Amino acid sequence: MALRHGRGYAAVNYPTGMNLGGDPSQALVHATTMGGFVVTLSSVDLGQGLRTVIAQCAAETLGIPIENIIVDTADTDTGPHCMGTFASRGTHRVGNAVIMAAREAREVMLQVAADELEVDAEDLETDGTGFVRLKGSSEMKIHISDVALAAHFRQGRTISGRGIFLKEPSSPVPETGEMDPDSCQAHACTVAEVAVDDETGVIEVLRLYNTYEIGRALNPALATQQVEGGAWMGLSHALFESTEPYYPHSREHGPVDFTEYLMPGPADIPAQTSLFLERPADNGPFGAKGIGEMTANAPIPAIANAVYDAVGVRLTSMPFTPEKVLRGLDELRAGRAG
Amino acid sequence: MARLTPIDTAYFKGERADDFAVIGSAVPRSDARAHVTGRTVFFEDMTLPEMTHVKIHRSTRHHALINRVDVSGALGVPGVLRVITHQDVPNNWYTVLRLIGVGPDDEPVLAEDRVLYRGEPIVAVVAETEDAAREGAARVTVDYTDLPAVLDVEEALADGAPIIKQAGTNHFVYEGHHCRRIRFGDVERGFAEADRIIEGRYSSSPIEHAPTEPTGCIVVPQGDGRLRIHTNTQAAFFTLDNTALILGVPPTSLRVVGGTVGGGFGGKVDVIVEPLACIAAMLTGRPAKYVYSRAEEMQVSSPRAAERISIKDGVMDDGRIVARKITLYVDAGAYSRHSPYGTTKAAAHMPGPYTIPNVHVDAYCVYTNRTPSSAMRGFGVTIGDFALESHMDRIARELNMDPLRLRLKNAYRDGDMKAHRKIASGTALVEVIQSAAGLVGHDLPPEYRAMSSTERSEG
C-alpha cells in the first residue's frame, strides 16, 4: 500500500456573455458639481469586484483619476437596465456600456473646457491627473473641478453620457443547431499533480498549474482572485461536493449544513502556479474577455486524468470520492486476477 | 501587496496595446476594507420596525396529488399573522425566462393540486417572529395521494414512463425536436472512415452554490403604496419584471435595491423569494423578510444540474478526431427555470475547443421529480468539459500518444468552422497548452511548439 503520484492535463475554452446574446447592459455617467463622476448601473457586485473594474473603465475613458469615480450599483429606480451579473458577462457587457457612456460624457467635458480656455475641443487632452490641457502646452489647462463648476453654474450644460452594450440575439436553426452563441472565447489549460492513497482511496491534489488566456487583464489582482478562487471551486467539485451523494439512486443523505456538505479547507488547497496570456477581443472592453466561470472547469478533468495516471482508475462520475477510487482499484485487481 | 498572476506578453505581441493609465493596474478593490472589517451592508443588516417573517411549508413527497391543505394549525400558533396559499398569488404560474420569450409557464409559486418534488412550496406562513413562522409552517397539514415518481433522466425518457409535466412530455421541446441538436458534417461516414472508435460515458450529481450569504430579501411597503425590495438578487431588473408579472402589478409599483451580494455563482438568478415576500407585505402592510435557511439553500434552492454525457469518437491512428457523437442529458428536476437555456448552451459548447469535421449532438433537457436545477457558474459547460477532457485523455492513452500533442493536433484555430457553424476567431487554445507545458517542463517537439492559433500548420 502506497501513495501513488500522477499528473493530468485538461484544456478548455469558455464563451463570454449570455448564450445566444440578447442580454443588454446599460450605464449612465454624469458629473457632480465639482467634478466627481457618477457611474450609474443596475448591475450587481457578487464579490468579484465589478465596482472596481467598472471604475477603472470609466477613469481610463474619461482620462481622469480613479478617485474621482463613484460607482452606484443596482437600484432600479435610479439605474438603467442591466440583464444581470452572470454568464461571465459583467466586465464585458457593463464595461462596454460604461466606455460608451464615458466617451459621451468626455466629449461634453472637453467642449466645456474648450469654451473656458477659448480653444478648440479637438486640441485638448486629458492628462489622467485631473487636468484638461491644450496638447503640447503646459500653461493652458483647467482642472476637472473647474470644468464641472463651469458646466453647472456658467454654461448650463450637463456633463453626462449614456451607454449600452447589446449583442443581438441569435436564434438557433432547429435542424442543425446553427447559431451564434458567444461574444468571444477565453481559454485555459490546467495541469494537476495528485497523490492517491491506494489503501484509503483519498486523492490529494498537490499542485495545480494553470495558463489562462483572458483577452486582457483589466485588473490583474482581481483576475488573480478569479482564477485562484475558480481553481479552488473546480477542485471542490472534483473531490468533495454533492447535494445528492448517491444520485440518482437515493434522495436520502442530502446534506443540510457545512458539516455535511464538505468543501476543501486550508489544508486541502494545493499550491497554485498560474500565468496569464492576453489576446484582446475585438468586442471586449479594452480587449477583456469574460473569465469568471471558466476558471472552475479545467481542474476537474485534469484531476481525473491525474488519478488515472497515478493508479489506472478512470473516474467517470463526479465527485471523485474515496469510495469510487477504491471500487475502481478493486475492479482493476479483479480484472488482473481474472 | 496584491498577489498577481504574471502576464506572459511574449504571446500575441502585435495584438496588445500598452498605452493605458489605469487599465491593467492592480487597483485595490473598493469594497475590500469594508468586507474584512464587517462594515459592508447586506440586505439582512437592515432592522425595521414591525418586520414580519416568512417561512414555507414544503412537500414531503416526490410526486403527489394534494387532496386537502389544512392551515388551521398554523393560524393557531401565537404570532402567526397570515397564511398564503396559491389563491393569494395573482399569477401563480411562471417561468423566469418568459421575459425573453422562453415558455411555457410551467412552475407555480405555490403548489395548487399537485407537487412535483420533495421540498416544493405549498403554503407560506407570515408571523411576528422567525420562530413563530417556522412553527406555523410545521403545523400545516397536507393530505396527499402519492403518484409514481420519475427520478432518473433516462427512465423519464423511456417508453411508458409516467409523464409528469403538463406540457405532455418529460423533456423540453426545442422547436419540435426532442432535444437541442447540432448537426455538422456526416458523423456516420466519419465513423466508417475512422481507424478506431473510442467511447465513454460520464456523469455528475447535483452541486450546491454554497454562497456565504443565503438567498433572501426584505420587502418594505412605502407611503406611496409602492414596495421597496431589498434583495441579494444577481439580476435586479429580472427580479423586478418577473415579480411584477407574478403579482399582476405595474412594474413602477416595485423598486429593487441590491448591488452587494455575498456570493452568487448563479444561485441568485431564479426569482423565488421576492414574490412571496411582496405578497406578505401587501397582506399585512408591514415589512416582510424571507430568507432561506442553510438547509433550504442546500436542499431546495436550484442546484447545478446533474448531467449524463455519452461520447463516441471516430479517431485516426495519428490522433485526428474525425467524428464525434454526443448524447447529453441535463436533469432539470421538476421545473424549467433556466435549464432549457443551459441545455442549449451545453449543445453550443460541443464538441469542445477542437476542430472535428463531423459532429452530432443531442442535448436533452429532461424533467424529473427532483429539486429544479438552474444556473450555476459554468452553466451548461462545466460537466461537459469534465466529459470532453476526460475523453481526450482516454483517447491519448488508447493511442499511446502524448496528451498535449493530441490536443494540439485537434485544437481549433482562427478561421475554423465550429460545429454550430460560426467561424472561430480570437482563439488561443494552442498557446495556453504550449504555455502550460512550459510551466511543468513537459517537452513538446519543435513542430508543436511552433504551432499558432492564427495560422494552421500541421503537427
Side-chain angles (χ1 to χ4, degrees):
Chain A
M1 298 297 165
L3 278 183
R4 293 161 69 182
H5 288 76
R7 180 189 274 183
Y9 303 86
V12 303
N13 61 340
Y14 200 87
T16 297
M18 203 166 144
N19 188 53
L20 303 175
D23 56 328
S25 286
Q26 298 184 29
L28 301 173
V29 170
H30 78 271
T32 63
T33 48
M34 288 188 65
F37 280 77
V38 183
V39 180
T40 311
L41 309 166
S42 297
S43 312
V44 176
D45 196 319
L46 300 174
Q48 82 279 40
L50 182 75
R51 280 193 194 92
T52 307
V53 82
I54 287 319
Q56 287 178 262
C57 290
E60 186 74 43
T61 308
L62 288 161
I64 67 173
I66 196 162
E67 294 74 26
N68 285 56
I69 307 287
I70 297 158
V71 180
D72 175 19
T73 53
D75 182 334
T76 57
D77 267 13
T78 56
H81 178 237
C82 176
M83 193 84 182
T85 305
F86 47 75
S88 298
R89 67 185 297 289
T91 296
H92 189 271
R93 278 13 181 192
V94 184
N96 276 322
V98 166
I99 290 170
M100 183 175 169
R103 276 196 189 129
E104 192 174 303
R106 176 187 162 90
E107 212 167 289
V108 183
M109 177 176 77
L110 294 183
Q111 280 163 8
V112 172
D115 286 355
E116 291 300 301
L117 294 171
E118 297 180 341
V119 298
D120 282 341
E122 301 88 75
D123 296 331
L124 293 176
E125 64 183 7
T126 47
D127 68 356
T129 74
F131 285 97
V132 180
R133 61 170 75 237
L134 190 64
K135 287 177 193 164
S137 162
S138 56
E139 310 282 301
M140 290 284 278
K141 62 177 183 181
I142 180 171
H143 195 266
I144 52 170
S145 288
D146 296 318
V147 177
L149 286 168
H152 284 93
F153 296 110
R154 273 202 298 281
Q155 298 186 18
R157 300 161 93 164
T158 65
I159 300 180
S160 61
R162 304 157 296 166
I164 182 166
F165 185 86
L166 171 66
K167 180 185 187 295
E168 284 181 24
S170 160
S171 296
V173 176
E175 301 304 319
T176 62
E178 179 175 347
M179 58 182 136
D180 178 4
D182 56 45
S183 293
C184 45
Q185 293 273 348
H187 302 86
C189 185
T190 293
V191 185
E193 291 180 350
V194 303
V196 183
D197 186 324
D198 66 8
E199 189 173 7
T200 63
V202 170
I203 300 164
E204 186 183 359
V205 180
L206 304 172
R207 293 195 74 90
L208 287 176
Y209 301 87
N210 295 292
T211 294
Y212 299 99
E213 185 282 308
I214 63 173
R216 191 79 208 210
L218 302 191
N219 184 324
L222 293 179
T224 299
Q225 161 195 289
Q226 286 277 19
V227 302
E228 294 194 352
W232 175 88
M233 188 184 254
L235 182 146
S236 188
H237 283 11
L239 300 186
F240 291 83
E241 294 185 52
S242 173
T243 58
E244 297 191 30
Y246 294 96
Y247 180 89
H249 302 298
S250 168
R251 280 231 57 189
E252 306 308 317
H253 315 290
V256 294
D257 59 35
F258 286 122
T259 62
E260 294 174 344
Y261 190 83
L262 298 183
M263 296 188 290
D268 304 305
I269 296 175
Q272 290 189 44
T273 305
S274 297
L275 198 56
F276 287 136
L277 309 185
E278 296 182 321
R279 186 172 193 205
D282 297 342
N283 58 21
F286 305 105
K289 299 174 174 178
I291 61 159
E293 295 172 277
M294 167 181 77
T295 54
N297 292 351
I300 302 169
I303 291 167
N305 297 339
V307 171
Y308 186 89
D309 190 50
V311 294
V313 172
R314 175 64 62 197
L315 293 163
T316 58
S317 155
M318 291 166 57
F320 315 141
T321 57
E323 178 180 343
K324 288 176 188 169
V325 174
L326 291 177
R327 286 186 191 283
L329 286 169
D330 284 348
E331 273 175 38
L332 280 180
R333 289 188 192 108
R336 279 184 203 130
Chain B
M1 181 69 185
R3 184 160 72 233
L4 298 184
T5 298
I7 300 169
D8 186 342
T9 56
Y11 289 92
F12 308 111
K13 233 181 168 54
E15 301 185 28
R16 298 174 66 259
D18 252 329
D19 52 352
F20 298 124
V22 285
I23 290 298
S25 319
V27 174
R29 260 176 69 164
S30 55
D31 53 9
R33 185 174 295 271
H35 280 1
V36 299
T37 56
R39 291 185 181 178
T40 300
V41 176
F42 296 89
F43 86 87
E44 214 174 350
D45 288 318
M46 253 183 323
T47 49
L48 291 150
E50 303 219 295
M51 188 166 76
T52 66
H53 298 264
V54 178
K55 294 287 172 193
I56 308 294
H57 181 86
R58 298 180 178 282
S59 160
T60 57
R61 310 302 172 92
H62 293 304
H63 188 198
L65 292 174
I66 296 177
N67 303 320
R68 205 169 65 87
V69 176
D70 183 355
V71 301
S72 57
L75 290 168
V77 173
V80 167
L81 301 167
R82 293 290 300 245
V83 295
I84 301 170
T85 69
H86 68 86
Q87 287 163 329
D88 300 301
V89 186
N91 297 306
N92 194 41
W93 289 83
Y94 75 104
T95 191
V96 285
L97 282 176
R98 62 182 162 188
L99 293 170
I100 55 170
V102 177
D105 290 344
D106 77 337
E107 181 167 7
V109 175
L110 292 172
E112 296 184 359
D113 57 354
R114 201 159 71 116
V115 287
L116 289 193
Y117 70 97
R118 204 171 77 178
E120 181 161 354
I122 301 172
V123 172
V125 176
V126 191
E128 300 276 0
T129 65
E130 215 172 336
D131 281 348
R134 198 178 291 119
E135 181 63 25
R139 293 210 191 169
V140 172
T141 56
V142 179
D143 180 38
Y144 300 99
T145 301
D146 282 313
L147 297 170
V150 179
L151 295 170
D152 181 275
V153 286
E154 285 172 270
E155 285 171 19
L157 295 178
D159 289 341
I163 298 300
I164 61 171
K165 297 295 285 185
Q166 292 181 342
T169 62
N170 287 342
H171 57 79
F172 186 78
V173 177
Y174 291 94
E175 296 103 12
H177 292 295
H178 288 69
C179 57
R180 176 60 75 201
R181 298 150 52 111
I182 303 287
R183 299 287 185 270
F184 184 64
D186 181 342
V187 80
E188 293 307 328
R189 200 171 64 198
F191 289 140
E193 288 167 6
D195 289 328
R196 59 181 84 200
I197 303 292
I198 299 175
E199 297 186 72
R201 185 176 153 96
Y202 308 89
S203 64
S204 66
S205 54
I207 290 172
E208 157 61 14
H209 309 78
T212 311
E213 180 197 29
T215 307
C217 67
I218 295 173
V219 176
V220 190
Q222 304 295 291
D224 60 3
R226 300 176 74 209
L227 297 175
R228 197 175 73 220
I229 306 169
H230 296 266
T231 165
N232 57 18
T233 179
Q234 287 180 234
F237 272 96
F238 221 77
T239 297
L240 177 91
D241 296 340
N242 276 302
T243 304
L245 288 169
I246 288 167
L247 300 181
V249 300
T252 46
S253 67
L254 305 177
R255 174 185 183 186
V256 173
V257 181
T260 299
V261 176
F265 312 107
K268 292 166 181 164
V269 175
D270 298 330
V271 182
I272 304 290
V273 291
E274 292 88 355
L276 285 173
C278 283
I279 291 169
M282 291 160 88
L283 289 175
T284 62
R286 293 166 57 174
K289 174 176 169 179
Y290 175 13
V291 59
Y292 277 163
S293 67
R294 184 57 65 185
E296 286 177 304
E297 196 73 50
M298 288 188 173
Q299 287 300 310
V300 184
S301 77
S302 319
R304 182 196 293 292
E307 292 184 36
R308 205 169 291 172
I309 302 172
S310 297
I311 305 177
K312 177 181 177 184
D313 279 354
V315 183
M316 307 308 289
D317 285 334
D318 68 0
R320 278 177 300 129
I321 304 169
V322 294
R324 175 166 279 181
K325 187 172 187 176
I326 292 177
T327 307
L328 185 155
Y329 303 102
V330 170
D331 188 343
Y335 298 111
S336 290
R337 299 198 183 167
H338 292 89
S339 292
Y341 160 90
T343 307
T344 294
K345 186 173 175 184
H349 187 66
M350 300 298 155
Y354 302 108
T355 293
I356 299 173
N358 304 292
V359 177
H360 177 117
V361 180
D362 283 344
Y364 291 83
C365 173
V366 187
Y367 300 105
T368 62
N369 293 112
R370 289 181 181 271
T371 306
S373 60
S374 197
M376 186 170 179
R377 184 184 201 164
F379 196 22
V381 173
T382 301
I383 310 303
D385 279 344
F386 160 55
L388 289 168
E389 286 302 289
S390 295
H391 205 67
M392 291 302 280
D393 198 64
R394 197 190 287 255
I395 295 169
R397 297 275 171 185
E398 196 154 320
L399 298 180
N400 198 22
M401 189 172 172
D402 171 42
L404 292 187
R405 288 193 225 175
L406 173 73
R407 287 173 173 83
L408 286 168
K409 194 179 264 287
N410 290 286
Y412 78 153
R413 270 79 143 208
D414 288 3
D416 287 358
M417 176 79 93
K418 293 182 169 185
H420 55 71
R421 294 166 204 253
K422 181 179 176 181
I423 302 289
S425 63
T427 61
L429 191 77
V430 168
E431 288 76 8
V432 293
I433 292 171
Q434 291 166 334
S435 168
L439 282 179
V440 296
H442 181 110
D443 202 30
L444 289 174
E447 65 269 29
Y448 286 86
R449 285 206 302 273
M451 282 181 174
S452 158
S453 286
T454 54
E455 57 192 79
R456 180 168 278 285
S457 64
E458 290 311 316

